[in-house]
Amino acid sequence: MDEQLHKVIMERLEEGRLPCAEAHAIARRFDLDPLSIGQAADDAGIRISHCQLGLFGYGPKSEGKHKIVRPMENVPDELAARLRAAVHGSGITCADVWGIADDLEISRLEASNAVEALGLRVSRCQLGCFAV
């Protein structure tokens, strides 16, 4: 890993972990694909935290506190249609959820709450944290 990139990653750690938003900010700063930052963090033994979709990194998994996403009670029709249309194979990608949220001017967490309510799965993290 590039020495300057490693230094910036280390400066952005919170409790020894790299928050998702920080990882994406670093990717933009260095004009890199977010996956490169995720791989660099992984190579350094650093875990990603505070997923912007609320899926992981918020507390102990053993206590069920690792995610903050909650099923949306009433998913608006347009949001439901857009999310369902973006499903490929086993799920919808993180990048697709982000794009839909941006297009509809809602938060990423709101979009993730709709994903949860619709029984869909996020299949690929932009940082490479999981792949289903």
Side-chain angles (χ1 to χ4, degrees):
M1 172 184 346
D2 173 89
E3 194 173 312
Q4 185 181 9
L5 176 61
H6 180 72
K7 181 181 182 217
V8 170
I9 288 173
M10 298 306 289
E11 289 171 349
R12 302 281 182 95
L13 298 182
E14 293 179 9
E15 298 180 6
R17 294 177 182 222
L18 182 62
C20 173
E22 294 293 339
H24 281 273
I26 293 167
R28 286 188 302 276
R29 176 178 170 182
F30 285 86
D31 195 28
L32 295 170
D33 184 308
L35 184 58
S36 300
I37 304 304
Q39 289 172 334
D42 192 49
D43 290 347
I46 298 166
R47 295 185 65 142
I48 303 295
S49 67
H50 294 94
C51 166
Q52 293 181 69
L53 294 181
L55 300 176
F56 62 87
Y58 290 90
K61 190 171 188 174
S62 63
E63 296 175 18
K65 297 179 180 178
H66 60 291
K67 64 182 191 172
I68 61 171
V69 65
R70 298 288 178 257
M72 185 180 277
E73 282 191 36
N74 297 303
V75 180
D77 291 340
E78 182 179 3
L79 176 56
R82 294 280 306 271
L83 291 169
R84 287 186 177 119
V87 172
H88 299 286
S90 64
I92 184 171
T93 67
C94 170
D96 283 340
V97 176
W98 280 34
I100 292 166
D102 291 347
D103 287 350
L104 298 178
E105 298 180 348
I106 62 173
S107 74
R108 292 170 181 158
L109 183 57
E110 283 179 278
S112 187
N113 289 341
V115 167
E116 188 82 3
L118 296 171
L120 305 176
R121 295 201 46 164
V122 177
S123 61
R124 232 180 7 243
C125 169
Q126 295 177 73
L127 298 171
C129 294
F130 56 84
V132 176

